[in-house]
Amino acid sequence: MFRTLTIIAAIFLANPLSPLSADFYGAAVVSLGDINEDGGFEYAVADPFFGSDDERWGTGRVQVVSAPTNKVIRVFDGKSKTDRFGATMISPGDLDGDGEPDLIIGAQGSMAKWTSSEVDVAGYVVAVSLASGQELYRIDTPAGKYQTMWHGAHALPTLVALDDLNGDGISDFAIGSPFVRSEGDDHAGAVRIYSGRDGEVLREKFGSRPHSHLGTRLAVIDDLDGDDLNDVLIGGGAVGCETVPERHAWGFVLACSSGELSELFRIEAPQESSSFGRSLCGLGDTNNDGIPDFAVGDHRSAVFRYSGRDGALLGEWESRLPRISLELIRLDDVNGDQTDDLGISVKHSLDPKYDNSRALLYVVSGSSNELLAEVEWEVWNFLRPGVALSILPRANTDNPGFVLVGTASIRNPSSEGSVHIVDLQTLKIKSRTNQSDLLK
């Protein structure tokens, strides 16, 4: 049995091609713990299309919000009208030694050239101190030429926080750059691990073939190879490419040691799909073999659960509605079976033109794939609203915690992008906050 909670919002879009017609508040969310010691918790929320009069892009803004009061504590803005600042972000912990968690924020970056046939994009990430509000360092990701505006729009760096790999007492992180060229290989992609202290490159791995787009998605997983460090899952595949050899267009996932970024094993899409591996999530040990497992999403088919020992398929879960995209997040034990569970946020299409669509958060058993709960939103006439997930800490050992669900939506007088807090103990929505609810 599962429980369903439905939230309905009717939305009408006058110009479906203009991102400025949308409220992208909630496109990315990150939980931060209780950084201002008010007894609650804080989170960062992004609107990557904030602050631009260009109908295709946005400067971007990230706000740090106190959940108990809706008060904005910090604001970080992009620099260029094409930045889409905040479209990706993570909190790897304390980077500057002040005892407070910090943020690493990704941006599309400057667009040096835009023609009908070619786009030049140079993305970047910045590390910022939440205590002082100052930029700690900036990393410019490699520029590239993209044959279509669609490619350029998907050139955002992907981010994941890792353990302290170089022994300096500061957590490190990885950046995926799926459109990087490697020794002439078109869009082979790359993943680099950086020092959390100063942004120095520690390790790097390049795609092995043209259009492999290595680094399309990254996820952390507990130690796979016995070196007492968490490891990294890397997704790839020929994003939006119809001219590459058929098999090369299929998505794939690499399980890699974070120690040297060496490949432990590789999983290919079980069927033809370039979207396999666009969502990834490390799990606990779901099959009791002493090794953590993981989930891979394919919005064209299902969510697959794999063994972290050898990549063997352990199970799959498929919703009853057509999917537009999905995100995954590891949850603490929700159903009391001593195994981590899985959160799956899905954007469904209810008709071929995407005019009637639905967003849901599914809570699924990590051991049996049983559907435990649904939390549901309905939206109509939307343009690719973002659904972002972040886990909030447990209140105590008997409480599995909360999930932040950020949902970018279409702007009209009755609907805004929002952040929902879902209580995993009651499997109900605890609160909903819109941009207009925030207190400066």
Side-chain angles (χ1 to χ4, degrees), residues 56-57 82 111-121 144-153:
R56 298 162 294 188
W57 302 95
T82 61
M111 188 169 296
K113 178 182 178 182
W114 185 322
T115 69
S116 60
S117 61
E118 189 174 78
V119 182
D120 286 4
V121 179
K145 294 183 182 296
Y146 309 106
Q147 281 68 52
T148 67
M149 183 181 71
W150 194 96
H151 278 145

Side-chain angles (χ1 to χ4, degrees), residues 327-348:
E327 298 291 340
L328 306 175
I329 191 167
R330 175 180 177 175
L331 305 177
D332 284 322
D333 181 17
V334 173
N335 61 347
D337 64 357
Q338 308 304 309
T339 302
D340 286 343
D341 296 314
L342 180 64
I344 306 171
S345 73
V346 181
K347 296 191 287 289
H348 289 296

Side-chain angles (χ1 to χ4, degrees), residues 224 264-265 287 289-294 306-312:
L224 293 174
L264 302 175
F265 55 83
N287 63 345
D289 67 351
I291 302 294
D293 304 313
F294 60 98
Y306 291 97
S307 165
R309 180 177 295 277
D310 55 12

